[in-house]
């Protein structure tokens, strides 16, 4: 740029020097000066020069509202409408007639912060009292660190219930903090479930005894108090009424209706008493209900398949097996247990007590429509498992599709589907990860299994069914569904559309290097029957924790019981799991076997943070069967914040006094905000613009050009 300017000056001087004889020395220098100034200005404008100047304006200071959104703010004790504390805060910020509107009318700026768990600018309005803790003083300090403006006022809206044990005198206050008391400081009516003692597991035949400790505060003497227990479907299964004051432990006994992991909810309420806080009126707890025996009913036309499968059923340790052979022209059922004959109705007399019913090549025509409907209802509503095996009287050839059982079969059927030709057994190509697959079907070399004697050529598999095995013809590439399982209501239904299953009892083969040394038929029957006997997929890993709320610094013990699907201790079980912390970090748990117990493991850890923890536990049996359990628990700072219902006005007054602020009741605060006057500060604001943006620059250039032009004309240079 400097070289360009020097070159320009030289050229200007040279051009005017040529005509110097026409000019006086004074005019010569004036014309050269004008031209140099014009060139200098143009070269300067090319560099985009800036001009900065300052102006003064009045600026209103901003008001900052700090809102406590911890759980204690959900207590309903504020105002004549009996609002919760957080609802009172929301009415100030959200209602159409809110006092906050007076600030907007005065063009007063304000900003809102949440100071429950953390200190952050509020994003959601209305506010929710979902903060697990209220670190009020720590978050006030964080707010001061984040503050950049000179505030017109700082207002803390809180009930004063702080989780942390810090005192107001332990922090410094660069600005006054005005505290606004939300909630009632007096002791209030409250009734709660303080604790529930229940056995970890019970037998199906026994009652579950809940020992409940009820706490109460200021409940009028003689008030009727109701304790209720609800099941997973939220149906009330038991109610007990007592009178206030409640003394001692209250015992309630419930008869479980089915095995597995049962979840119960206990509630307490006082008749005619309005409580400000009902979150402690409910308690959810789990109990593992076990069965000493699995009841299995096996019936059908006697065959090699029936004989060998019944033998496999007897190998299940805790089975109570009833076997009925269909014999004679009168089509009576011979009981192997009582050595007596029975009618079809007598066989189904105790169907509601059965866990599994196995039918071998069974002609349903022997049952009435009502008896068939009783089977269907037992599966759908009681959770009874069904296992159908093929033959001349089964599936389509047995007219199953024209009965009430058709909806629960995993196959779509056709008429006269029985075929006597041999078929090979293959694993389905699209088989998904499933407990029946892991550790069993994936370890079988199906090429070594002998072919089946016959199959029922079913049409297809229903969309909700899981297909595990297919049958392939020896004389062609025809592949048809062979073994599938489908859920129906509470129960599960398995179907094997083939004959010749007994041949598997002589096979021990492997496809993965881990040889299956037991006979495959026993394993297949036990796996399948135990699967359909279980009501749920996740009922066999039970996590035992003494409680769901822990204090920070308290050691947390976790115990796990692993059962197989026949409710027996899982042999050679393994347990692994992890804890997901509030900051999303994961802690792997190491489980060790509990001495002198079967399939019971324990672990422990020490939480470093307060908040919600998630526990994920997986139990694995020696046969590859596995179940996963997920649960959660809370870790709190050692405090009474969520036990005391009364607002802590002393805390709020102390904070206001130490900071130089004022203490307001909620009603005083609303009137104060309405009449508040905001001081305005003078503020210097720098304004920077490009020189070219100003019109006077162009006018100067134009003036210089015109002046030069006039002088040149007068001197006769144009």
């Amino acid at each position: 740029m400097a070289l360009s300017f020097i070159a320009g000056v030289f050229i200007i001087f040279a051009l005017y020097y040529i005509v110097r004889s026409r000019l006086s020395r004074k005019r010569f220098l004036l014309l050269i000066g004008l031209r140099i100034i014009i060139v200098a200005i143009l070269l300067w404008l090319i560099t985009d020069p800036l001009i900065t100047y300052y102006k003064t304006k009045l600026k209103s200071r901003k008001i900052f509202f700090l809102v406590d959104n911890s759980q204690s703010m959900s207590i309903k004790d504020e105002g004549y409408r009996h609002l919760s504390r957080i609802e009172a805060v929301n009415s100030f910020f959200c209602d159409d007639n809110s006092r906050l509107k007076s600030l907007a009318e005065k063009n007063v700026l304000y900003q809102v912060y949440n100071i429950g768990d953390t200190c952050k600018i509020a994003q959601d309005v209305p506010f929710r009292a979902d903060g697990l803790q209220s670190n009020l003083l720590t978050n006030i300090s964080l707010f001061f660190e984040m503050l950049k403006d000179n505030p017109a006022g700082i207002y803390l809206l809180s009930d004063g219930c702080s989780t942390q044990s810090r005192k107001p005198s332990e922090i410094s206050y660069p600005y006054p903090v005005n505290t606004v008391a939300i909630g009632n400081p007096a002791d209030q009516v409250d009734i709660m479930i303080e604790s529930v003692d229940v056995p970890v597991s019970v037998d199906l035949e026994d009652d579950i005894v809940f020992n409940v400790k009820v706490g109460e505060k200021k409940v009028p003497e003689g008030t009727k108090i109701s304790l209720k227990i609800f099941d997973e479907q939220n149906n009330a299964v038991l109610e007990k009424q007592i009178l206030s004051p409640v003394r001692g432990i209250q015992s309630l006994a419930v008869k479980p209706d089915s095995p597995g992991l049962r979840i119960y909810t206990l509630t307490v309420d006082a008749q005619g008493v309005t409580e400000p806080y009902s979150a402690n009126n409910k308690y959810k707890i789990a109990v593992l209900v076990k069965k000493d025996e699995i009841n299995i009913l096996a019936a059908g036309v006697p065959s090699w398949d029936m004989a060998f499968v019944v033998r496999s059923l007897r190998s299940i340790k805790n089975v109570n097996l009833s076997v009925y052979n269909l014999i004679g022209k009168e089509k009576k059922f011979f009981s192997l247990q009582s050595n007596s004959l029975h009618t079809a109705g007598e066989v189904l007399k105790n169907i509601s007590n059965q866990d599994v019913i196995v039918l071998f090549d069974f002609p349903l025509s022997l049952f009435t429509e009502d008896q068939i409907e009783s089977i269907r209802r037992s599966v759908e509503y009681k959770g009874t498992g069904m296992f159908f095996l093929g033959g001349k009287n089964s599936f389509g050839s047995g007219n199953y599709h024209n009965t009430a059982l058709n909806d629960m079969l995993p196959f779509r059927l056709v008429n006269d589907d029985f075929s006597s030709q041999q078929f090979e057994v293959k694993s389905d190509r699209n088989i998904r990860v499933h407990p029946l697959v892991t550790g069993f079907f994936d370890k079988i070399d199906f090429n070594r299994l002998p072919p089946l004697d016959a199959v029922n050529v079913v049409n297809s598999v229903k969309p909700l069914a899981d297909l595990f095995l297919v049958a392939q013809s020896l004389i062609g590439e025809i592949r048809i569904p062979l073994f599938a399982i489908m859920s129906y209501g509470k129960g599960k239904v398995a179907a094997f559309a083939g004959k010749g299953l007994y041949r598997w009892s002589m096979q021990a083969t492997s496809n993965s290097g881990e040889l299956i040394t037991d006979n495959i038929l026993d394993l297949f029957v036990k796996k399948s029957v135990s699967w359909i006997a279980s009501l749920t997929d996740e009922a066999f890993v039970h996590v035992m924790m003494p409680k769901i709320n822990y204090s920070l610094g308290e050691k947390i013990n976790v115990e796990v019981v692993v059962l197989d699907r026949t409710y027996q201790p899982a042999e050679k079980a393994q347990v692994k799991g992890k804890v997901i912390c509030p900051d999303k970090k994961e802690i792997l748990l190491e489980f060790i076997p509990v001495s002198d117990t079967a399939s019971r493991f324990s672990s422990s850890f020490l939480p470093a943070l307060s908040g919600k923890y998630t526990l994920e536990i997986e139990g694995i049996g020696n046969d590859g069967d596995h179940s996963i359990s997920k649960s959660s628990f809370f870790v709190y700072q050692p405090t009474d914040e969520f036990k005391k219902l009364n607002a802590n006005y002393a805390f709020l007054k102390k904070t206001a006094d130490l900071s130089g602020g004022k203490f307001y009741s909620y009603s005083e605060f609303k009137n104060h905000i309405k009449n508040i006057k905001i001081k305005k500060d003078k503020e210097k604001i720098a304004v920077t613009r490009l020189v070219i943006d100003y019109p006077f620059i162009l006018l100067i250039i134009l003036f210089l050009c015109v002046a030069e032009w006039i002088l040149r004309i007068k001197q006769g240079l144009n």
Side-chain angles (χ1 to χ4, degrees):
M1 185 64 70
L3 291 175
S4 299
F5 179 71
I6 293 171
V9 171
F10 178 78
I11 293 171
I12 292 168
F13 183 83
L15 290 173
Y16 277 107
Y17 186 78
I18 295 172
V19 295
R20 69 184 185 283
S21 58
R22 301 183 190 182
L23 301 171
S24 65
R25 186 170 181 273
K26 184 177 180 182
R27 293 294 175 90
F28 173 71
L29 294 175
L30 180 59
L31 286 171
I32 289 175
L34 287 173
R35 181 64 63 88
I36 289 173
I37 292 172
I38 293 171
V39 171
I41 292 174
L42 291 175
L43 289 174
W44 180 50
L45 292 177
I46 291 174
T47 64
D48 291 332
L50 301 173
I51 293 179
T52 300
Y53 67 93
Y54 294 88
K55 64 180 183 179
T56 302
K57 65 177 291 187
L58 293 177
K59 179 184 176 183
S60 296
R61 294 183 182 180
K62 190 181 292 184
I63 294 178
F64 293 91
F65 297 105
L66 311 181
V67 176
D68 180 2
N69 67 337
S70 61
Q71 289 183 16
S72 61
M73 292 289 285
S74 65
I75 296 172
K76 294 186 176 182
D77 65 347
E78 180 60 47
Y80 67 93
R81 288 181 292 175
H82 208 64
L83 299 174
S84 71
R85 297 168 185 177
I86 201 67
E87 286 172 345
V89 173
N90 285 328
S91 70
F92 173 75
F93 284 100
C94 304
D95 285 0
D96 293 337
N97 58 350
S98 169
R99 298 293 195 277
L100 198 63
K101 281 194 171 184
S102 62
L103 296 182
E105 292 168 357
K106 300 174 186 177
N107 295 319
V108 175
L109 300 176
Y110 65 88
Q111 199 165 44
V112 186
Y113 282 78
N114 283 330
I115 58 168
D117 288 25
T118 58
C119 178
K120 60 183 180 181
I121 294 177
Q123 302 291 340
D124 299 326
V125 178
F127 304 102
R128 298 188 300 271
D130 54 2
L132 297 179
Q133 52 191 324
S134 52
N135 301 324
L136 296 182
L137 295 174
T138 296
N139 288 326
I140 289 174
S141 297
L142 288 175
F143 165 74
F144 285 137
E145 293 176 8
M146 299 163 58
L147 187 60
K148 297 179 180 179
D149 297 323
N150 188 16
I154 300 172
Y155 296 89
L156 168 63
L157 285 74
S158 172
D159 57 8
C161 297
S162 181
T163 301
Q164 58 191 176
S165 57
R166 296 181 70 178
K167 298 178 181 179
S169 58
E170 294 178 2
I171 69 170
S172 58
Y173 304 89
Y175 298 102
V177 177
N178 303 300
T179 56
V180 181
I182 311 292
N184 193 330
D187 283 342
Q188 300 172 72
V189 176
D190 185 37
I191 188 166
M192 71 201 81
I193 295 177
E194 290 192 354
S195 65
V196 178
D197 182 22
V198 67
V200 172
S201 62
V202 299
D203 291 330
L204 182 62
E205 294 76 16
D206 297 334
D207 289 341
I208 304 174
V209 179
F210 299 84
N211 292 314
V212 185
K213 183 179 180 181
V214 177
E216 56 179 319
K217 184 191 294 183
K218 300 194 71 175
V219 176
E221 185 174 349
T223 301
K224 289 184 179 180
I225 295 175
S226 177
L227 271 171
K228 295 181 182 178
I229 299 179
F230 297 84
D231 61 14
E232 294 97 324
Q233 288 75 40
N234 203 33
N235 297 318
V237 295
L238 183 67
E239 179 177 6
K240 180 179 181 180
Q241 289 195 343
I242 49 182
L243 296 178
S244 175
V246 182
R247 295 184 176 89
I249 301 297
Q250 304 299 315
S251 293
L252 297 88
V254 172
K255 184 74 173 178
D257 59 353
S258 59
L261 190 64
R262 304 272 72 84
I263 309 296
Y264 294 96
T265 302
L266 285 79
T267 65
V268 63
D269 61 84
Q271 184 177 336
V273 173
T274 302
E275 294 182 73
Y277 188 61
S278 58
N280 54 12
N281 290 30
K282 183 182 295 186
Y283 195 96
K284 184 174 288 187
I285 197 165
V287 182
L288 184 63
V289 181
K290 301 186 298 182
K291 290 193 68 171
D292 288 335
E293 291 184 329
I294 300 296
N295 296 318
I296 300 178
L297 186 153
V301 177
S303 64
W304 286 109
D305 275 358
M306 184 173 180
F308 277 81
V309 170
V310 166
R311 189 186 68 176
S312 297
L313 290 172
R314 294 189 190 279
S315 69
I316 301 175
K317 291 181 180 179
N318 61 330
V319 69
N320 177 24
L321 181 63
S322 301
V323 181
Y324 295 89
N325 285 326
L326 182 62
I327 60 174
K329 294 182 179 180
E330 296 181 359
K331 300 296 183 183
K332 291 291 186 82
F333 291 90
F334 180 75
S335 170
L336 299 183
Q337 289 70 43
S338 62
N339 292 324
S340 57
L341 292 175
H342 299 270
T343 64
E346 291 172 340
V347 171
L348 295 179
K349 184 177 180 180
N350 296 320
I351 187 174
S352 61
N353 296 328
Q354 302 301 321
D355 296 294
V356 179
I357 299 174
V358 186
L359 298 181
F360 300 87
D361 192 14
F362 195 92
L364 287 181
S365 57
L366 296 179
F367 290 153
T368 65
E369 290 184 3
D370 289 343
Q371 290 169 341
I372 294 175
E373 175 63 16
S374 69
I375 296 176
R376 189 199 67 78
R377 292 181 60 84
S378 183
V379 174
E380 181 176 8
Y381 299 111
K382 294 289 186 180
T384 303
M386 291 293 299
F387 197 168
F388 297 94
L389 289 96
K392 293 181 180 180
N393 301 297
S394 288
F395 302 117
S397 295
N399 205 33
Y400 280 24
H401 49 300
N402 291 321
T403 70
L405 302 186
N406 182 57
D407 288 344
M408 68 184 189
L409 289 169
F411 298 138
R412 292 191 178 96
L413 307 180
V414 295
N415 293 325
D416 301 324
D417 59 3
F418 185 74
S419 173
S420 297
Q421 61 179 299
Q422 291 188 327
F423 283 79
E424 292 179 320
V425 179
K426 302 289 183 183
S427 177
D428 180 54
R429 297 189 186 99
N430 300 317
I431 192 169
R432 69 178 180 89
V433 176
H434 192 282
L436 284 180
V437 177
T438 306
F440 181 63
F441 284 141
D442 57 350
K443 293 183 180 180
I444 295 177
D445 184 355
F446 289 97
N447 292 324
R448 297 187 181 182
L449 287 180
L452 299 173
D453 297 333
V455 297
N456 292 84
V457 184
V458 299
N459 189 334
S460 60
V461 179
K462 293 179 180 177
L464 297 179
D466 286 310
L467 178 65
F468 299 99
L469 301 177
V470 296
Q472 181 171 307
S473 173
L474 295 179
I475 59 176
E477 293 298 321
I478 300 174
R479 295 170 69 93
I480 59 174
L482 179 65
F483 176 62
I485 291 180
M486 186 175 77
S487 295
Y488 182 75
K490 290 185 176 181
K492 300 172 185 173
V493 179
F496 186 88
K499 287 185 68 69
L501 189 61
Y502 70 94
R503 298 174 183 270
W504 291 12
S505 64
M506 295 169 279
Q507 297 297 319
T509 183
S510 173
N511 191 35
S512 65
E514 298 181 16
L515 187 65
I516 297 178
T517 55
D518 297 327
N519 86 60
I520 291 178
L521 181 61
D522 284 354
L523 292 175
F524 171 70
V525 169
K526 181 175 181 180
K527 278 284 241 181
S528 303
V529 169
S530 62
W531 175 257
I532 62 177
S534 61
L535 294 178
T536 63
D537 297 350
E538 309 297 344
F540 301 92
V541 172
H542 184 44
V543 181
M544 295 172 288
M545 302 184 70
K547 51 188 178 180
I548 60 173
N549 295 326
Y550 295 85
S551 296
L552 189 63
E554 181 180 357
K555 185 179 180 180
I556 297 178
N557 297 309
V558 181
E559 286 198 9
V560 177
V561 173
V562 185
L563 304 179
D564 66 19
R565 298 189 182 277
T566 58
Y567 306 97
Q568 295 297 297
E571 298 178 359
K572 301 178 182 178
Q574 299 177 9
V575 174
K576 57 183 180 181
K578 63 182 179 181
V579 174
I580 303 174
C581 303
D583 58 0
K584 305 305 179 185
K585 291 183 179 179
E586 296 182 356
I587 301 175
L588 296 180
L589 298 178
E590 294 185 4
F591 286 91
I592 59 174
V594 177
S595 59
D596 300 327
T597 60
S599 304
R600 190 164 180 165
F601 301 81
S602 68
S603 183
S604 63
F605 75 100
L606 194 65
L609 299 172
S610 56
K612 182 179 181 180
Y613 287 75
T614 300
L615 190 65
E616 296 183 1
I617 304 294
E618 181 180 13
I620 307 170
N622 66 334
D623 58 355
D625 195 7
H626 72 282
S627 292
I628 296 175
S629 174
K630 293 184 179 181
S631 56
S632 60
F633 56 90
F634 291 92
V635 175
Y636 294 112
Q637 296 275 3
T639 177
D640 289 332
E641 176 185 352
F642 304 115
K643 295 179 181 178
K644 293 182 178 178
L645 302 186
N646 48 314
N648 190 351
Y649 281 16
F651 175 91
L652 296 172
K653 288 178 179 177
K654 189 72 172 178
T655 302
D657 291 342
L658 290 172
S659 67
K662 293 183 178 180
F663 171 82
Y664 296 96
S665 67
Y666 182 52
S667 58
E668 291 172 341
F669 164 69
K670 290 189 291 185
N671 292 327
H672 167 71
I673 288 294
K674 184 178 180 180
N675 301 317
I676 194 171
K677 294 181 180 179
I678 303 300
K679 180 181 178 182
K680 295 186 178 182
D681 296 326
K682 290 183 178 180
E683 182 181 25
K684 273 190 174 183
I685 300 176
V687 180
T688 301
R689 296 175 64 183
L690 288 170
V691 173
I692 194 66
D693 291 339
Y694 293 94
F696 72 87
I697 294 296
L698 297 178
L699 292 175
I700 291 173
I701 295 173
L702 180 61
F703 172 77
L704 293 173
C705 290
V706 170
E708 183 190 8
W709 178 66
I710 292 172
L711 287 173
R712 286 174 63 88
I713 291 176
K714 287 183 177 182
Q715 298 300 317
L717 297 180
N718 288 338

